Structures are given as structure tokens and as C-alpha cells.
Amino acid sequence: MAIVSSGSAAPLGRRGRDASGAGVADPEDQQGRAGGASQRLVDAEAAPDEAAEVQPREDSLRPKRLADYIGQSELKQVLGIAVEATRARGEALDHVLLYGPPGLGKTTMALVLAEELGVRCRITSAPALERPRDIVGLLVNLQPGELLFIDEIHRLNRVAEEILYPAMEDFRLDLTVGKGTTARTRSLPVAPFTLVGATTRAGSLSSPLRDRFGLIQRLEFYDLPDLQAIVERAAGLLQLDLEREAALEVARRCRGTPRIANRLLRRVRDVAAVQGHGRIGAELVHQALSLHRVDARGLDASDRRLLTLLLEGYGGGPVGLETLAAGLGEDPTTLETVVEPYLLQLGFLQRTPRGRMVTPAGRAHLGWPAQLGLPGAAA
Ligand SMILES: Nc1ncnc2c1ncn2[C@@H]1O[C@H](COP(=O)(O)OP(=O)(O)OP(=O)(O)O)[C@@H](O)[C@H]1O
Ligand SMILES: [Mg+2]
């Protein structure tokens, strides 16, 4: 088990906003990101207490095996078959690309794959691979069958991508040695390895890179029963006495996202501890999350600010993304990748060619009267 880190932490980027509205940056959130310039090695075979030494909070709630990974049945089925076949053949698993919104379990799945295959997983993120020698260094040090996890792989620069192509395809590095007329190309073998790439924006990946992944899987938002199971599992690990109804309340408010479920559960735990409650019921969840301004559908202060600006400032829209972002003082990418997906999923917001609009359901949720003349509007 070793940690290799270099340089300073990169800005949190899309992590800049605390999606729970709790105003607390959870270390779990910054996983792999604070490491804009850090590389982490995780030994999948390490003893649990050894793993806890590295990232105690973050790793404590992560499922370690495929059987503990809740939901995402299609993903588990596809990868489960691939892992079994790979183990039987004694080869390296085909390269895997995992994409989907933040906090749904991409990094967790990479670690689960390593655990299932009984190999090490080396974790890095694309912004840490700025110079060619960063990626070359990682590749030449890989042992046969090992996993190389590259987070935010859509941010990989051109040079690093070109180095990866032959490495992924033929387990070979093509390096240029020397300059000008004395320049020569040298080929170096790389151990057969598995690249696991994760991204929230699969569309931003270049197609040659995307095409080199044998398994391309999308992670979906979790449904209520799965989220409830995730909350109950986490409550068990945190040794909380949580009623079933209370778990369901947390599940309803976590935006379909396990990371947010875990974070909300921790906020509930804080309030329970301060108020001296042993057993946590739905009422306490309601009280604790209201304190953090998370409402019954999981909307937080940022979501309400966006909808309110649209309603108060622009009569419900349509408004362009840039204008909205400027009005809210948010970065357009954060707005698009972190705030909007859940509002779109709930059907509170609509993206139209002319801009963003609040839907009748969105208006109703914020207690605004229905708009006259629109479908479903009251006469
Ligand atoms: N299927 C699952 N079952 C139980 N817990 C899960 C599951 N998926 C994710 N989690 C929990 O959610 C947390 C966040 O997951 P993870 O870090 O893997 O998300 P991610 O998709 O890599 O996010 P990002 O895009 O921000 O890197 C994990 O620490 C884990 O505790
Ligand atoms: Mg991740």
C-alpha cells in the first residue's frame, strides 16, 4: 500500500458546490478530485484496517465486492460476466469506460473490479497526467492484470491520449527518443493491464479513445428501493439505529445519488447525536435535513435559487445557460452537470432550443400558481 502524490491540489471544479446545501465539503466528495495532481495506489488485497488508514471516511462506506454493490443491475451483470470469463482465461480484463453523473459509484466500481479480480488498482485522474512522463511512468510500472483507473478521463490531453492508444491496444509504448535529426522511436512493452476510465461527460471523449474500450457502461440514477437499501447499509456500517421509514426519508431526498445519501445520513447522525436520540425516526430526518435546507424532494438551496431566478426574473423562461449562470454567480459547467440533471429528472426544468424553462410541476413545487394558457394550467 503506498500513496504517491505530487504537486498541489487542483481546484475542485464541478465539486465547488455542495450539492446537499449543507455548506460542508465532505472529504468523500473530493475523492479523486482533490487529487487533481495526485496519484493513489490502492491495494485491493489489503486488510480492511490498512485501507482505512488511507482514506478512513471515504472508504468506510464503499462496497468492496460486487455482491455488496447495490442497484445498477445491468452494469453488475455485464461486468460480473466479464470478470468471471477473464478469471477463467487468466488474462487482463478488457478496458472499461464508466460514465454517468457524479457520485453514482464509478470509482467504487473500479475498486470492486480490482477486488473481484484479486489485483491492485492504481488510481489517478486525467489532470494529474499533464506531462508525458506521468502516464509513461504509470504504464511501465504496471504488473500483469492490474487495473489503472483514470478519473475524469475526458480531460486527458492529446499527448497522453496518443501514448495510451498503443498501450491499450497492443500493450506497447511508442516513445520518441532524442530530438531533430537524431530522433528515433523506441517501443517498450507494457504488462497486459486494464484501463478503467471514468467520466461524467462521455460525449467529450475523443472517438479514437472511446473506441478502444471493450466495455462501455452508463451508470443510472438509483431508484428509491435501492437508495433505501444503500442508506440502511450505510447506517449499519455507521452503527446507527435507523428506522425503515427514516431510511426512506433520506432516500427520497438524495437526488438518486448514493454519495448524497451517505452525506445526508451523516448530517442526520450529527443532529441525532447532539439531541441525544438513540433511535432515528422519520421526523428526526425531516428536522435535520430542513436545517440543511434540503426539502422533501431533495432540492437544496442552489436548486431553489435557480428555479426562483427563472420564475422571478424571467417569468419562467426560456433563458440561456450563460445568462442563468451569470445571474446565479455559478460556473455554467457546474450548473449544467451538477444542478440541472436532477431538476430535469424530476421534470421541474426543461431544456429547450431557446433556453431553460420551469415546468408546471416545478412551479407547483415552489408554490407558484400555474401559468394561464399552458397545458395542465388551472383556468
Ligand atoms: N452501488 C452502491 N452501493 C452502495 N454504496 C454506493 C454505491 N455506489 C456508490 N456508493 C457510495 O457512494 C459514494 C460515492 O461513489 P463514487 O465515489 O464511486 O462515485 P463516482 O461515480 O466515482 O463519483 P465522481 O464522478 O464524483 O467521481 C461511495 O463512497 C460509496 O459509499
Ligand atoms: Mg469518482
Side-chain angles (χ1 to χ4, degrees):
M1 175 87 55
I3 301 180
V4 187
S5 66
S6 59
S8 59
L12 292 180
R14 66 192 164 86
R15 282 283 163 265
R17 167 181 175 268
D18 175 31
S20 76
V24 188
D26 203 303
E28 193 165 87
D29 246 13
Q30 297 166 21
Q31 191 281 321
R33 206 93 32 199
S38 73
Q39 293 161 6
R40 199 155 68 91
L41 302 190
V42 173
D43 189 336
E45 286 181 322
D49 55 345
E50 213 180 321
E53 237 174 67
V54 180
Q55 304 270 333
R57 295 256 308 236
E58 191 177 291
D59 283 344
S60 62
L61 297 182
R62 279 189 202 284
K64 303 272 183 292
R65 305 301 299 247
L66 216 47
D68 306 329
Y69 196 96
I70 296 161
Q72 309 287 351
S73 50
E74 196 189 311
L75 172 82
K76 279 193 300 192
Q77 201 182 357
V78 169
L79 294 181
I81 291 172
V83 163
E84 214 171 298
T86 302
R87 265 205 309 238
R89 283 198 298 265
E91 290 173 355
L93 179 71
D94 218 344
H95 305 301
V96 182
L97 178 66
L98 301 171
Y99 70 99
L104 296 192
K106 297 181 290 294
T107 304
T108 306
M109 183 48 91
L111 295 170
V112 163
L113 285 176
E115 185 78 38
E116 292 288 336
L117 291 163
V119 295
R120 267 202 323 182
C121 181
R122 294 170 181 249
I123 298 186
T124 186
S125 106
L129 304 174
E130 232 167 57
R131 298 156 307 178
R133 70 163 186 260
D134 297 327
I135 183 122
V136 169
L138 271 176
L139 289 169
V140 296
N141 283 312
L142 286 172
Q143 300 297 313
E146 278 185 354
L147 256 65
L148 173 61
F149 176 72
I150 305 185
D151 211 352
E152 297 193 83
I153 195 159
H154 62 276
R155 291 176 64 184
L156 216 53
N157 65 36
R158 211 80 229 115
V159 181
E161 255 193 45
E162 305 260 334
I163 293 172
L164 263 183
Y165 294 159
M168 287 173 79
E169 227 161 23
D170 305 316
F171 303 119
R172 191 189 79 225
L173 282 175
D174 294 331
L175 302 175
T176 311
V177 191
K179 279 189 181 150
T181 49
T182 60
R184 278 169 293 119
T185 51
R186 287 255 314 268
S187 269
L188 266 182
V190 177
F193 72 105
T194 303
L195 178 66
V196 182
T199 176
T200 47
R201 325 181 106 221
S204 309
L205 227 65
S206 75
S207 58
L209 182 58
R210 200 171 41 236
D211 292 347
R212 282 171 171 77
F213 286 97
L215 296 153
I216 302 182
Q217 291 291 318
R218 185 191 154 81
L219 278 87
E220 309 286 347
F221 283 114
Y222 292 70
D223 62 19
L224 215 50
D226 286 343
L227 292 168
Q228 191 178 359
I230 288 171
V231 172
E232 282 173 354
R233 177 180 173 274
L237 292 170
L238 295 172
Q239 297 179 338
L240 297 179
D241 187 3
L242 190 75
E243 286 174 13
R244 282 197 69 96
E245 261 310 303
L248 188 62
E249 265 318 286
V250 176
R252 278 203 190 101
R253 294 163 192 243
C254 69
R255 316 165 74 93
T257 308
R259 172 180 290 136
I260 299 179
N262 290 342
R263 184 199 299 154
L264 296 183
L265 188 62
R266 287 195 169 103
R267 301 291 78 81
V268 172
R269 177 179 65 167
D270 291 349
V271 173
V274 169
Q275 296 189 356
H277 290 280
R279 190 164 175 78
I280 301 172
E283 181 50 37
L284 187 72
V285 171
H286 181 75
Q287 191 194 333
L289 298 184
S290 303
L291 185 70
H292 290 295
R293 301 175 66 200
V294 177
D295 73 18
R297 298 295 297 274
L299 262 58
D300 63 24
S302 305
D303 302 309
R304 285 192 297 272
R305 270 178 67 218
L306 184 144
L307 294 176
T308 308
L309 177 67
L310 266 168
L311 287 166
E312 286 181 354
Y314 304 93
V319 181
L321 177 67
E322 300 284 333
T323 312
L324 264 185
L328 294 167
E330 283 265 20
D331 156 54
T333 317
T334 308
L335 214 57
E336 200 173 17
T337 56
V338 185
V339 188
E340 286 189 349
Y342 184 62
L343 293 172
L344 291 165
Q345 197 208 357
L346 283 180
F348 286 0
L349 188 75
Q350 207 182 350
R351 279 185 188 156
T352 73
R354 289 185 302 142
R356 273 62 172 169
M357 290 183 74
V358 183
T359 63
R363 293 178 80 91
H365 184 74
L366 263 75
W368 278 60
Q371 221 170 6
L372 295 179
L374 280 185

